[in-house]
Amino acid sequence: MSANGVSIEPRLLINGQLVEASDKKTFPVYNPATREVSANVPEASEQDTNAAVAAAKAAFPAWSALDPTKRAACMKKLASLLRAHNPQLAHLEAISMGQPVRNHIYGVTGASLFDHYAESWQSIQGQASVCTPKHVTMTLRQPYGVVALIIPWNNPVHFFCSKSAPALITGNTVVLKSSEKAPLAIALIAELVVKAGFPMGVFNILSGHGVPSGQILSRHMDVRALSFTGSSRTGKLIQEEAAKTNLKKVILELGGKSPAIVFDDCNLNKAVEQTQHSIQANSGQICMANSRVYIQKSIAPQFIDAFKKRFAAVRDGDPTSKETDHGPQADEVQYKNVMFYIEEGKKSGTLALGGNGKLDSMNGFFVEPTVFLDTPEDAKIMKEEVFGPVVNINTFETEEEAIAKANDTEYGLYSAVYTKDINRAMRVAKALESGYVAVNCTSPLTGRDLPFGGYKGSGQGREGVLYSMGNFLETKSVIIQIDDE
Ligand code: NAD
């Protein structure tokens, strides 16, 4: 396939070889802006998945024993290739899941992650102690072996890098499965992995649906740890498979229904601008998007008015154009899902903006920016993740009321609070049941070195530059007795 100078023949990467599926099966990936086929992609079979795990298992002893600076050398080579290919990666994401190219920096930021972890091997450290009399004790941090990484479609290049770089530098070997909705950029990266010179079997990359390949990885007895980012529904299935088989360690980064609480003493313009951007970025397809906004009653009219003006002004269109800042939903399934929730929202709340699909503009899966007001807290749209450009704005009068409403969810990924009162900000930050709290800012902003992960149904475990390596290291205790003579 060749489009706009980007040429790709998607392949599986198994044991250092770029190959078709063993049964030659492929599936089509459609451009969600036009519904035209962008590429046919190999569907990894059971045999392919098992072969990838077997290759990773065979490669593990040598890779884990290798001087870490040599592991780092392959990673740095991949970093420079990722950086150089950012425009191609951006294009491939645009024609598979519709993310506008103007926002795509993930080849560059992902390269920085590979560079960072390549230099981080010095921090693979245990501890030593003499607190047990007549003994010296120590802990060793060692890799698990074969780790599986399963990533979603909403930001594939980022998740590819943020999971595989820490897994590799710590000496694990990897089988990564891309999402069936967005496998094209990852297929290009598979080619770059070959160029980077990783030893055979160290880094295996599969494309395909959840079933069979994702499910096989979840139940595989030779996979010792699995890091997953995706929906809470799939996270539960993976946890179940792991529990039924070898109890592999499972790290889960799942969905959200993130609240932003806006008090009347805030910087109103900033609160409007940032909460609107949060739900618009990537067409609302961001796990931490503030899909529920709670605004203090006294400033609700000004806030809602300004919010609607900004949200209505998005520039939707061809995501491969640099002018577009609002792409389509990722595919027909996502589109129908968002439209289902919009119809639900119309039954329970007051539609204040949008509320329609826009199949007419380019024949693609565009959804109008949509705002609902005054929706009952127990309505379906207030409880479940929509994953689209749809926001529910409700009002509150007191701090206690705002906290209770914000916490009334099974999710707990990210929350925001806008106020100039530092005491109130800290009271609310402490009370929110959420893995992340932003004060006078909101998602998708994250601190560079903070951990990321969910409370409650939003996941388990934390990721981040100071945390992710720990996800891929076992801890072994060693006790040594010292004889008197
Ligand atoms: P998804 O759960 O449908 O799919 C994610 C991945 O899991 C895909 O690769 C898919 O093929 C695979 N999969 C599907 N069924 C499987 C099974 N039975 N066994 C193993 N693997 C299986 O999620 P999605 O639609 O790709 O992504 C959107 C979701 O991801 C949203 O809920 C979003 O909130 C969440 N997300 C969370 C974070 C976070 O950091 N917490 C970040 C991004 C996205």
Side-chain angles (χ1 to χ4, degrees):
M1 181 208 67
S2 176
N4 282 9
V6 184
S7 163
I8 180 138
E9 294 292 340
R11 292 285 181 266
L12 310 173
L13 175 57
I14 300 176
N15 204 18
Q17 308 296 317
L18 291 165
V19 295
E20 293 177 72
S22 50
D23 56 7
K24 305 276 186 279
K25 206 168 154 190
T26 61
F27 61 95
V29 170
Y30 298 91
N31 180 337
T34 62
R35 302 204 227 182
E36 285 159 11
V37 174
S38 290
N40 288 302
V41 177
E43 173 79 57
S45 64
E46 180 172 358
Q47 189 183 328
D48 298 322
T49 311
N50 287 335
V53 175
K57 189 177 179 186
F60 175 68
W63 179 249
S64 55
L66 193 66
D67 178 339
T69 61
K70 298 211 166 101
R71 297 203 288 265
C74 304
M75 292 174 59
K76 286 186 185 174
K77 182 80 200 295
L78 181 57
S80 69
L81 290 164
L82 285 168
R83 206 171 272 118
H85 286 81
N86 190 63
Q88 290 89 332
L89 294 169
H91 181 81
L92 291 169
E93 302 273 63
I95 63 165
S96 54
M97 50 69 76
Q99 185 175 84
V101 291
R102 64 182 278 137
N103 302 328
H104 199 286
I105 48 161
Y106 304 106
V108 177
T109 53
S112 302
L113 285 174
F114 266 94
D115 277 337
H116 164 80
Y117 285 110
E119 293 292 346
S120 295
W121 55 265
Q122 298 97 329
S123 61
I124 306 172
Q125 298 277 336
Q127 292 174 330
S129 156
V130 290
C131 288
T132 307
K134 297 195 176 176
H135 294 80
V136 172
T137 63
M138 65 180 76
T139 56
L140 306 180
R141 305 300 311 275
Q142 293 178 292
Y144 278 84
V146 180
V147 304
L149 311 175
I150 301 181
I151 61 172
W153 50 265
N154 68 331
N155 200 346
V157 176
H158 169 73
F159 293 114
F160 178 98
C161 298
S162 64
K163 288 188 192 292
S164 64
L168 289 163
I169 195 61
T170 43
N172 299 278
T173 51
V174 165
V175 180
L176 180 143
K177 192 193 89 61
S178 60
S179 163
E180 64 278 13
K181 293 187 202 291
L184 300 188
I186 305 304
L188 174 58
I189 297 180
E191 295 177 8
L192 304 181
V193 166
V194 174
K195 290 190 183 141
F198 285 89
M200 268 175 29
V202 164
F203 202 166
N204 304 275
I205 299 173
L206 304 176
S207 45
H209 289 74
V211 180
S213 51
Q215 188 183 55
I216 292 167
L217 291 172
S218 315
R219 4 174 116 146
H220 207 295
M221 295 300 285
D222 288 334
V223 171
R224 294 292 164 191
L226 189 156
S227 177
F228 171 76
T229 297
S231 64
S232 298
R233 188 190 142 274
T234 307
K236 286 180 191 168
L237 292 174
I238 288 174
Q239 183 78 299
E240 209 178 308
E241 295 290 354
K244 283 197 288 203
T245 52
N246 63 350
L247 270 180
K248 58 181 64 64
K249 175 175 176 175
V250 176
I251 298 121
L252 298 174
E253 296 286 349
L254 308 176
K257 192 75 193 167
S258 297
I261 302 175
V262 184
F263 286 96
D264 58 8
D265 65 341
C266 72
N267 176 334
L268 190 72
N269 289 339
K270 187 167 90 161
V272 168
E273 190 181 316
Q274 294 182 346
T275 53
Q276 183 272 327
H277 173 69
S278 174
I279 193 66
Q280 187 211 329
N282 212 15
S283 299
Q285 302 168 128
I286 294 185
C287 55
M288 52 183 150
N290 53 218
S291 50
R292 294 181 294 145
V293 175
Y294 293 101
I295 174 87
Q296 203 156 20
K297 221 168 212 162
S298 50
I299 55 163
Q302 304 100 286
F303 180 92
I304 292 163
D305 207 38
F307 191 102
K308 279 168 44 186
K309 271 197 195 106
R310 281 191 69 89
F311 208 12
V314 300
R315 294 188 303 278
D316 58 38
D318 179 359
T320 64
S321 155
K322 289 205 168 121
E323 299 307 309
T324 299
D325 71 2
H326 191 77
Q329 305 314 117
D331 69 359
E332 187 168 8
V333 175
Q334 289 304 124
Y335 174 80
K336 285 189 170 157
N337 206 34
V338 174
M339 292 312 298
F340 165 79
Y341 280 107
I342 289 179
E343 291 313 312
E344 281 295 312
K346 287 178 186 170
K347 288 182 211 157
S348 46
T350 305
L351 181 68
L353 182 74
N356 297 302
K358 284 184 71 181
L359 294 174
D360 50 328
S361 54
M362 288 181 73
N363 197 33
F365 299 113
F366 294 88
V367 173
E368 285 178 355
T370 296
V371 176
F372 288 105
L373 306 177
D374 305 321
T375 310
E377 291 295 318
D378 60 355
K380 199 174 182 64
I381 195 171
M382 293 296 286
K383 295 285 173 219
E384 297 177 13
E385 190 178 40
V386 176
F387 228 51
V390 180
V391 66
N392 287 83
I393 303 180
N394 276 358
T395 58
F396 67 92
E397 296 198 52
T398 67
E399 184 178 317
E400 294 69 32
E401 183 191 351
I403 292 167
K405 287 180 170 174
N407 283 341
D408 187 15
T409 167
E410 271 310 300
Y411 290 108
L413 193 59
Y414 193 110
S415 306
V417 52
Y418 285 86
T419 176
K420 286 188 182 141
D421 178 343
I422 184 67
N423 294 308
R424 175 153 67 188
M426 288 315 299
R427 279 195 306 273
V428 175
K430 276 175 70 183
L432 287 168
E433 296 163 358
S434 168
Y436 223 103
V437 180
V439 177
N440 293 325
C441 51
T442 186
S443 57
L445 184 76
T446 54
R448 288 180 182 170
D449 53 359
L450 281 176
F452 190 86
Y455 273 33
K456 303 196 282 191
S458 288
Q460 57 189 32
R462 293 291 180 270
E463 293 186 330
V465 286
L466 300 178
Y467 298 83
S468 291
M469 282 166 59
N471 289 335
F472 299 112
L473 288 166
E474 269 288 19
T475 301
K476 181 183 285 170
S477 294
V478 179
I479 182 164
I480 307 165
Q481 200 161 76
I482 310 164
D483 289 340
D484 286 337
E485 23 185 278

